Amino acid sequence: MLEGQSCLISRAIPSSCEQESKWVYMTYRLLEITSNKRTPCVELEEQDEGGAVKRAKLPKNAYVEGTGSSDCQGGGGQYPESGSLINQIGRDNSISCLLRCSRSDYDALACVNKSFRSLVRSGELYKLRRWLGISEHWVYFSCNVLEWEAYDPYSGRWITLPKMPHNECFMSSDKESLAVGSELLVFGKEILSHVVLRYSILTNSWSPGIEMKTPRCLFGSASLGEKAFVAGGIDAYGNILRSAELYNSETETWVTLPSMNVPRKKCSGVLMDGKFYVIGGMASNTELLNCGEEFDPEKGTWRVIPNMSSGLNGASGAPPLVAVVNNELYAAHYAEKEVRKYDKKANSWITLGRLPERPDSVDGWGLAFRACGERLIVIGGPRTLGGGIIEVNSWIPEEGPPEWSMIASKHSASFVYNCAVMGC
């Protein structure tokens, strides 16, 4: 069951066995039934815990027959003649079922007919899923230059993304990545300029992304839904930055935010308790920073937090490995192979236990530590010559020391260059 799905279903339909059975039946019928009738644009309703009704309306152009590209993965580009959704259960019920299907099934659903494909490829389903609080978190990472893979922990499936466009300077430059909305953004450099490449899950393709107001690399970032925060980093001339920006993937725009108090590069970013935190980093090529900064979006102000990253930076200046699950901040101390938890009141770190044994890092580089929904994950592998294995280890934080489970592995290079988690 998808994250947030059980509570949404319990609010959307009566909790009787008969109604639950009908809901499941309708979902499975999505791939079997089509109809020639067209019905108007749908308005969905959802009650929150206090009984208040929320409404969302999909635009008509999300269902126009024949919109979207003509190819269909696994379908040879051919569709049934029908251009509508499931008339037998109504458009709103059809869409409600689609919203609660796994997004790993969306490619197959897009091949049912042109209206299904238009609905999936328009991105409207993902907007409604965000509105309803339904999300699946997939992990995207790169272990080879210009090559990206994704892992879907819900179906246990590996997905190979198309190769990034070839660019000699971009290949050899430092790169940062973040996932926002239904996009994966990768930031790199040419000689004296920056490059942004964007992968869309709607088109399964790469295209040029939108440049920041102040292009940068080696920055800290964090995202939630369709919005992402970035701060710090270096510009094309190597200057260390204090500036920060906010990206909206739906409008494809960057907005300049107030600047931090301290310039920093090679820092990490997280979102916690509705605020954006930038942790650690370097103020120069030799000066490690132990402080963090907290940005309050409502007030538009930054606050310095002394010693927030004390002990987390390595001698090489690798960014701190930090992640937030359920508004609790965790860190991977790669030198000691420990997992630590941040005590917000005491502004200190508590050692919980050990990291997985097999994944290695090179002074903090090459190892990914991320939040993936309700779990923490570690991605990496043992260092070997002539190939290796990449492993995905998972732990759902609870009382007691970490108990890691290896949920996936495959033959691959084991050094992780970039990693991002997309929840949609």
Side-chain angles (χ1 to χ4, degrees):
M1 188 169 287
L2 306 185
E3 179 181 341
Q5 182 174 349
S6 58
C7 62
L8 288 165
I9 290 179
S10 66
R11 295 203 304 268
I13 61 175
S15 57
S16 66
C17 294
E18 179 183 2
Q19 291 296 328
E20 291 283 356
S21 299
K22 286 182 179 178
W23 193 273
V24 174
Y25 171 76
M26 288 190 294
T27 302
Y28 281 102
R29 288 285 284 168
L30 284 170
L31 288 172
E32 300 175 9
I33 306 174
T34 56
S35 168
N36 287 318
K37 275 191 179 179
R38 301 295 298 271
T39 54
C41 179
V42 62
E43 184 172 286
L44 296 181
E45 291 189 358
E46 196 78 18
Q47 283 190 339
D48 61 22
E49 294 178 357
V53 176
K54 299 190 296 182
R55 292 182 175 87
K57 193 170 184 179
L58 289 176
K60 291 182 180 180
N61 61 11
Y63 312 114
V64 175
E65 183 175 346
T67 58
S69 56
S70 60
D71 64 314
C72 183
Q73 292 183 8
Q78 301 299 315
Y79 300 89
E81 289 300 319
S82 171
S84 65
L85 299 180
I86 306 171
N87 185 58
Q88 285 86 337
I89 64 174
R91 183 172 293 274
D92 52 351
N93 280 335
S94 300
I95 295 172
S96 293
C97 290
L98 280 169
L99 292 173
R100 290 162 173 84
C101 288
S102 172
R103 70 180 176 104
S104 63
D105 296 326
Y106 278 7
D107 279 342
L109 290 166
C111 292
V112 172
N113 60 37
K114 291 182 179 179
S115 284
F116 272 71
R117 178 171 178 78
S118 176
L119 181 61
V120 171
R121 295 294 183 250
S122 70
E124 295 298 330
L125 281 178
Y126 293 106
K127 293 179 184 178
L128 280 172
R129 282 164 67 98
R130 286 198 295 273
W131 179 78
L132 291 171
I134 302 173
S135 63
E136 295 171 86
H137 293 82
W138 291 13
V139 187
Y140 293 77
F141 61 94
S142 173
C143 292
N144 293 288
V145 178
L146 303 185
E147 295 181 10
W148 281 80
E149 292 185 87
Y151 178 70
D152 170 11
Y154 301 88
S155 65
R157 187 166 65 109
W158 294 94
I159 302 100
T160 300
L161 276 59
K163 278 192 175 183
M164 302 175 75
H166 184 81
N167 182 316
E168 288 292 342
C169 293
F170 185 80
M171 286 177 63
S172 59
S173 69
D174 293 316
K175 285 177 278 294
E176 298 290 337
S177 64
L178 64 89
V180 53
S182 56
E183 301 175 354
L184 171 67
L185 302 180
V186 182
F187 304 81
K189 287 179 61 180
E190 291 185 325
I191 298 175
L192 286 177
S193 64
H194 287 80
V195 178
V196 184
L197 291 176
R198 173 176 58 188
Y199 169 78
S200 170
I201 65 174
L202 304 180
T203 62
N204 189 36
S205 62
W206 293 94
S207 63
I210 308 300
E211 279 196 358
M212 297 183 201
K213 299 286 187 179
T214 305
R216 69 194 72 203
C217 62
L218 299 178
F219 53 82
S221 67
S223 63
L224 180 64
E226 75 281 7
K227 295 181 180 179
F229 294 84
V230 302
I234 59 173
D235 63 16
Y237 301 95
N239 299 310
I240 302 176
L241 304 173
R242 295 192 304 124
S243 59
E245 301 188 35
L246 175 69
Y247 178 68
N248 187 317
S249 64
E250 290 189 358
T251 60
E252 297 184 3
T253 56
W254 290 95
V255 176
T256 301
L257 299 175
S259 294
M260 295 185 293
N261 294 281
V262 180
R264 62 183 77 211
K265 64 177 182 177
K266 297 184 180 179
C267 46
S268 296
V270 296
L271 285 168
M272 180 170 60
D273 298 323
K275 298 176 182 178
F276 175 47
Y277 291 83
V278 181
I279 302 171
M282 304 182 72
S284 68
N285 290 331
T286 57
E287 182 186 355
L288 293 174
L289 293 170
N290 288 327
C291 63
E293 293 205 37
E294 171 197 86
F295 178 69
D296 187 330
E298 292 187 0
K299 298 179 181 178
T301 56
W302 288 92
R303 178 175 70 95
V304 175
I305 305 176
N307 301 317
M308 189 178 187
S309 61
S310 180
L312 300 183
N313 286 299
S316 65
L321 297 173
V322 290
V324 170
V325 172
N326 294 327
N327 281 317
E328 297 291 345
L329 177 60
Y330 298 86
H333 193 287
Y334 49 85
E336 301 294 333
K337 284 227 167 187
E338 293 178 344
V339 180
R340 298 180 180 180
K341 182 179 179 180
Y342 182 64
D343 185 327
K344 301 175 188 178
K345 293 183 179 180
N347 187 30
S348 62
W349 292 92
I350 303 167
T351 299
L352 300 179
R354 303 289 294 171
L355 286 169
E357 288 298 325
R358 284 169 57 84
D360 286 327
S361 71
V362 181
D363 294 328
W365 302 100
L367 183 71
F369 180 75
R370 293 287 188 271
C372 186
E374 63 180 0
R375 69 182 80 193
L376 289 169
I377 57 167
V378 175
I379 304 178
R383 278 179 283 174
T384 59
L385 296 175
I389 294 176
I390 194 76
E391 298 174 348
V392 182
N393 290 273
S394 167
W395 172 55
I396 298 176
E398 55 187 11
E399 294 297 327
E403 296 182 4
W404 295 95
S405 299
M406 189 174 69
I407 58 175
S409 66
K410 65 177 298 187
H411 289 287
S412 168
S414 58
F415 188 96
V416 181
Y417 290 100
N418 290 102
C419 180
V421 176
M422 185 186 300
C424 60

